[in-house]
Amino acid sequence: MTVFSKYVGRIAEKYDKSGLSKQAFSYALVGTALFALTIKVTVPYIRNAQCIKHKNANAGALTPSEIDGLHDDLKLAEAEKLLVEKQLKKQQKNKQMLEPGLNKEFLKQLSMLVRIMIPQKLCYETGLLTVHTLCLISRTFLSIYVAALEGAIVKFIVRKDIKQFALVLLKWFGIAIPATFINSMIRFLESKLSLAFRTRLVRHSYRLYFKNQNYYRVSNLDGRIENADHRLTEDIAVFSSSVAHLYSSLTKPCFDLMLIGLALMRSSRKMKANILSGPALSVSVIALTAHILRIVSPKFGQLVSEEANRYGYLRHIHSRIITNAEEIAFYSGHKVELQQLRQAYNRLVNQMNNIFSQKLWFVMLEQFFMKYVWSGTGMVMVSLPILTGAASSTSNNRTMEINDSSVSERTQYLTTARNLLISAADAIERLMSSYKEIVALAGYTYRVAGMLDVFEDTAQGIYSKATIVENEEINGIIEFRGGKPIAKGRIIYIDDPGNMSISLRAVPVVTPNCDIVVPSLTLCIEPGVHLLITGPNGCGKSSLFRILSGLWPIYAGELHIPRPIKNKPCMFYIPQRPYMSIGSLCNQIIYPDTRDDMKRKGITENELMNILKLVSFEHIAQRNSFDVVRDWKDILSGGEKQRMAVARLFYHKPRYALLDECTSAVSIDVENSIYEIAKSMGITLLTITHRPTLWKFHTHILEFDGQGSWKIRQMNSNENQKEKFIH
């Protein structure tokens, strides 16, 4: 800005020599700027109107390339329309979630987050805030003192008092050491505050995220958060930094204005001038300009929130490509994925360009008020005490020394007042600029607080997701309230040691999008009743396992299951593609136990080796020790992962095993051995499989027809079957 001003000054001097006054040149420059602004605002409307008129006049006269480009634009517009409709539908179903902005909802959400970041009056965060506040106050006093020293330096320069000048200059250099230390401490404490706030929020969010299997419910049963990972990492970090920085941006300017105002009033009193005229003028000008800026300010909160949404969606697409890289490579689907990435990135770029355009004219107006209007007001404030001060009572025959003293005093006042006004203007500018930061903070607050609200809802079984139905009730099975399905079913835990059966009583099998797979399912599985589950794809086989495990809500009926006891889980689920955690070989076998849990159970590495032998997988321990850490997800093949999952089953020895095609990549001889060993351990098997060789290990069969009907019967074979089965 300084370089531009010098450049304009040189041009003005050049034209002044040609006979054009600087005043006329200034009028021409301001008029040109206003004319450019008018063109900037009106041209887009005129251009749109001309385009519409041209299209209407030349309909059907487009070239093939123009038709293709128009077709692509229409497709993108249609995609944007569908996205907007989806967002509007979400907003209608979640009316309590308002748009981000400076409103009561923002204050409520921010207050809730502050209580999380500062849980009590005496804590680590309050200590940091106290020290940070003291540093900010100290910095203000140092600024006032430095301004007074600079005024004194100029005073003694005017008086040509070398001794006093040197003494004050030494003081000025001496105060530089604590001043620079305080400045560094302010930045250091701001970073520490940001990290402390982030730590509190992350710990609280993690507790909610892993409460009642929320990590599954948020991504599978609820549709309000599409990228929880981005909110748990990026959004919380940006919100914490924004809060810590905003505290400094608001607190220090307030201290500066208060203390600098008192210092200016004291200086005006020394000059025997009115102490209220200057502050009244400054308050009036600042209030007027602030009101204008507030009226014309764009909605930065909504803009920033939308930018974060689009950035999160771009990361979501990248994550999806990494997760499904093999499938995409098999299909050679890189063109489609590249197109989706480009579209997502282009939408992000368009939003960022929109924000840049909004900031351009707003910052221009803001700088005009802050740099020029306020500077002119400051000049008036500085001159008022001198122009309106009490007349001197000295006679005309006073000596020249007294006149020089009066001039030096006025010079000292002007220098000190000028420095204080510069600091005050900087403080006011930071306060005015903080409005944009507050609006941006509203966007981050909306996302972080909204994430925590969703975590709280899903932990209590309250979900909001797009359903495949429009009516409020489906055949009396699912009840809706406020557009959300209500899970009226109950899970009852059995504490009777003599009754370890699992029973479902009129429980419907319903997917998260409210698709009813089975209207009502009633059965009882007792220990020793090995159940084989068959049926076509999508008939509810795996869905039944999710209901038994408590992953999906029960919309009606009752589920009776034994209460889990210490060191012996009730059910253990093994999918077709087992999960390999981060850690050592021992961690893979005992998952989800830890080493401490293993020691508490009294299980040794020799027993782990015996478990691996049961699944014909002991060579992995012979090749690698139990403590070696590997990327087991990539090292182990599909069949080895399945054998590792069965080893987990033999380690935990649950009452019931939910086996979902868990040995499809294992050889038949090893598979037969695994099922025999599981039965000998007293584990009741509930198996989904397409292999006829496994039928002999089961006593009963549950058949789904894919149309909502089912039947259960005792299997006919030469093996001894359990005769008693309650249906």
Side-chain angles (χ1 to χ4, degrees):
M1 197 67 186
T2 304
V3 176
F4 179 73
S5 300
K6 291 181 179 179
Y7 181 71
V8 172
R10 291 178 181 176
I11 296 177
E13 291 177 359
K14 179 179 178 181
Y15 281 100
D16 189 31
K17 294 178 181 178
S18 303
L20 181 66
S21 64
K22 289 186 177 181
Q23 185 178 8
F25 178 78
S26 301
Y27 288 155
L29 184 63
V30 173
T32 303
L34 293 175
F35 180 70
L37 179 62
T38 304
I39 293 176
K40 171 69 177 179
V41 174
T42 56
V43 164
Y45 296 101
I46 298 174
R47 186 178 297 171
N48 290 336
Q50 289 179 348
C51 289
I52 294 174
K53 183 178 180 181
H54 178 73
K55 288 181 180 179
N56 293 334
N58 299 286
L62 299 176
T63 64
S65 60
E66 290 175 340
I67 293 175
D68 292 338
L70 182 60
H71 183 63
D72 292 338
D73 292 340
L74 289 175
K75 288 195 294 185
L76 289 175
E78 186 67 23
E80 291 286 345
K81 181 180 178 181
L82 293 175
L83 182 62
V84 170
E85 289 179 355
K86 182 179 178 182
Q87 292 176 347
L88 290 176
K89 189 176 292 185
K90 281 186 178 180
Q91 292 174 3
Q92 292 175 358
K93 292 185 177 181
N94 303 280
K95 293 181 180 180
Q96 73 277 8
M97 299 181 69
L98 303 175
E99 286 293 331
L102 299 183
N103 47 42
K104 292 182 179 179
E105 187 67 19
F106 162 65
L107 297 178
K108 180 181 176 182
Q109 292 175 342
L110 183 61
S111 176
M112 182 264 291
L113 294 177
V114 168
R115 287 194 298 270
I116 296 173
M117 295 185 294
I118 308 177
Q120 52 189 1
K121 294 182 179 179
L122 296 178
C123 60
Y124 176 70
E125 289 75 16
T126 54
L128 284 177
L129 281 172
T130 302
V131 178
H132 191 40
T133 304
L134 291 176
C135 288
L136 293 174
I137 296 175
S138 301
R139 187 66 185 87
T140 301
F141 279 112
L142 287 173
S143 299
I144 295 174
Y145 184 67
V146 168
L149 286 179
E150 291 178 354
I153 289 174
V154 175
K155 172 184 175 181
F156 293 123
I157 290 175
V158 173
R159 288 184 178 181
K160 299 182 179 180
D161 190 340
I162 299 177
K163 181 180 179 180
Q164 292 296 327
F165 167 74
L167 181 62
V168 175
L169 187 61
L170 286 176
K171 290 182 180 180
W172 189 82
F173 278 113
I175 203 66
I177 297 176
T180 52
F181 174 76
I182 290 296
N183 287 336
S184 180
M185 277 294 294
I186 289 174
R187 296 187 181 93
F188 171 77
L189 291 171
E190 181 179 317
S191 301
K192 294 288 288 184
L193 266 177
S194 173
L195 184 59
F197 290 160
R198 181 181 180 181
T199 302
R200 290 281 188 182
L201 285 173
V202 165
R203 289 176 178 174
H204 180 78
S205 301
Y206 283 177
R207 281 196 298 268
L208 290 178
Y209 193 55
F210 287 94
K211 179 182 179 182
N212 294 341
Q213 299 172 328
N214 260 353
Y215 53 88
Y216 175 83
R217 299 183 180 190
V218 167
S219 59
N220 292 275
L221 305 181
D222 194 277
R224 286 173 284 182
I225 297 180
E226 296 180 354
N227 44 359
D229 57 334
H230 184 268
R231 298 202 183 195
L232 285 168
T233 53
E234 188 72 19
D235 287 349
I236 288 182
V238 175
F239 170 80
S240 303
S241 299
S242 179
V243 170
H245 179 68
L246 193 61
Y247 178 77
S248 300
S249 300
L250 292 178
T251 306
K252 188 177 185 302
C254 291
F255 289 148
D256 289 347
L257 290 177
M258 181 177 63
L259 298 176
I260 290 174
L262 293 176
L264 286 173
M265 293 172 67
R266 186 178 61 183
S267 299
S268 299
R269 184 181 289 111
K270 287 183 179 180
M271 297 298 295
K272 299 180 181 180
N274 189 350
I275 63 174
L276 298 178
S277 57
L281 175 64
S282 63
V283 170
S284 301
V285 172
I286 292 171
L288 178 61
T289 55
H291 182 66
I292 295 174
L293 288 175
R294 184 176 181 276
I295 293 175
V296 302
S297 174
K299 297 180 179 179
F300 286 110
Q302 296 181 13
L303 295 173
V304 169
S305 179
E306 179 62 22
E307 180 187 5
N309 283 331
R310 298 188 181 189
Y311 178 66
Y313 181 68
L314 179 63
R315 286 191 57 184
H316 170 70
I317 294 180
H318 277 288
S319 176
R320 188 181 62 184
I321 293 175
I322 294 173
T323 303
N324 304 283
E326 184 177 7
E327 290 83 353
I328 295 173
F330 273 127
Y331 283 111
S332 297
H334 52 276
K335 292 184 179 179
V336 176
E337 302 300 329
L338 178 60
Q339 182 182 9
Q340 293 177 353
L341 270 177
R342 285 176 174 172
Q343 290 177 352
Y345 179 75
N346 289 336
R347 293 185 68 246
L348 175 62
V349 169
N350 292 337
Q351 181 65 15
M352 295 177 68
N353 285 327
N354 184 24
I355 295 176
F356 296 156
S357 300
Q358 298 278 358
K359 283 184 177 180
L360 173 64
W361 301 106
F362 181 75
V363 171
M364 173 185 170
L365 181 62
E366 184 183 55
Q367 292 296 314
F368 172 74
F369 284 144
M370 293 181 181
K371 297 294 184 182
Y372 296 98
V373 175
W374 290 359
S375 296
T377 305
M379 294 177 188
V380 175
M381 286 182 61
V382 171
S383 62
L384 282 178
I386 297 177
L387 298 177
T388 62
S392 176
S393 60
T394 59
S395 60
N396 293 330
N397 58 357
R398 287 286 187 180
T399 62
M400 186 64 67
E401 288 79 5
I402 296 178
N403 290 332
D404 290 342
S405 176
S406 177
V407 170
S408 64
E409 292 292 341
R410 289 198 296 269
T411 305
Q412 179 185 13
Y413 163 77
L414 284 173
T415 304
T416 303
R418 176 181 175 276
N419 291 332
L420 291 177
L421 281 175
I422 290 175
S423 299
D426 181 64
I428 297 173
E429 181 179 357
R430 277 181 285 152
L431 282 178
M432 299 293 289
S433 301
S434 297
Y435 177 76
K436 296 193 295 292
E437 297 181 12
I438 295 175
V439 175
L441 177 65
Y444 299 125
T445 304
Y446 172 80
R447 289 178 60 82
V448 175
M451 175 190 68
L452 297 180
D453 289 340
V454 172
F455 288 173
E456 293 281 1
D457 289 346
T458 54
Q460 300 173 9
I462 302 174
Y463 311 109
S464 177
K465 190 171 185 177
T467 61
I468 63 172
V469 294
E470 300 294 337
N471 55 324
E472 289 296 313
E473 189 170 349
I474 310 175
N475 299 328
I477 297 174
I478 304 177
E479 179 181 343
F480 287 82
R481 188 177 303 162
K484 300 178 181 179
I486 305 301
K488 300 175 63 177
R490 297 189 303 163
I491 299 179
I492 301 175
Y493 292 98
I494 303 173
D495 295 319
D496 184 8
N499 182 11
M500 292 289 107
S501 62
I502 298 176
S503 61
L504 293 91
R505 301 178 182 176
V507 175
V509 179
V510 183
T511 63
N513 61 352
C514 296
D515 181 16
I516 300 178
V517 180
V518 178
S520 179
L521 181 62
T522 301
L523 56 86
C524 179
I525 307 169
E526 294 181 352
V529 176
H530 305 290
L531 184 64
L532 179 70
I533 305 173
T534 63
N537 293 332
C539 66
K541 301 188 297 295
S542 299
S543 302
L544 175 61
F545 282 177
R546 296 185 180 101
I547 290 177
L548 292 176
S549 301
L551 299 182
W552 283 7
I554 301 175
Y555 290 101
E558 295 179 352
L559 169 62
H560 296 254
I561 57 175
R563 187 179 298 276
I565 61 176
K566 190 176 182 180
N567 299 334
K568 190 173 182 64
C570 175
M571 287 178 285
F572 196 85
Y573 173 69
I574 304 180
Q576 185 176 8
R577 299 173 63 182
Y579 169 69
M580 296 291 110
S581 66
I582 300 174
S584 63
L585 177 61
C586 177
N587 295 134
Q588 307 308 312
I589 301 173
I590 67 177
Y591 186 84
D593 279 0
T594 62
R595 283 293 187 101
D596 294 335
D597 296 329
M598 172 183 160
K599 292 178 181 178
R600 189 173 58 252
K601 292 179 179 180
I603 298 178
T604 63
E605 290 187 356
N606 290 332
E607 295 180 71
L608 295 183
M609 178 62 76
N610 293 332
I611 291 175
L612 291 178
K613 289 180 180 179
L614 295 178
V615 295
S616 302
F617 203 33
E618 65 275 11
H619 61 275
I620 190 68
Q622 295 171 354
R623 188 170 67 238
N624 303 284
S625 68
F626 284 104
D627 296 326
V628 67
V629 177
R630 295 280 189 272
D631 189 0
W632 303 106
K633 177 179 177 293
D634 296 330
I635 291 178
L636 302 180
S637 64
E640 290 175 334
K641 291 177 184 177
Q642 290 186 348
R643 279 186 280 176
M644 182 67 75
V646 176
R648 292 175 185 170
L649 175 69
F650 293 162
Y651 167 83
H652 290 284
K653 297 179 182 178
R655 299 186 184 277
Y656 295 90
L658 310 181
L659 310 178
D660 190 353
E661 297 283 355
C662 69
T663 55
S664 59
V666 177
S667 61
I668 295 178
D669 56 336
V670 175
E671 183 182 54
N672 291 338
S673 175
I674 287 173
Y675 274 79
E676 288 286 359
I677 295 172
K679 293 180 66 176
S680 65
M681 288 183 175
I683 301 175
T684 301
L685 307 177
L686 282 71
T687 307
I688 299 174
T689 183
H690 292 91
R691 284 190 175 182
T693 55
L694 295 179
W695 286 41
K696 60 185 177 182
F697 298 107
H698 299 83
T699 60
H700 294 75
I701 182 170
L702 175 62
E703 298 175 310
F704 293 100
D705 62 358
Q707 303 297 321
S709 300
W710 57 275
K711 65 179 179 178
I712 188 167
R713 62 178 176 83
Q714 186 175 353
M715 296 183 66
N716 298 319
S717 66
N718 297 326
E719 299 179 5
N720 293 328
Q721 302 293 329
K722 187 174 180 67
E723 298 296 338
K724 183 179 180 181
F725 182 79
I726 301 175
H727 180 185

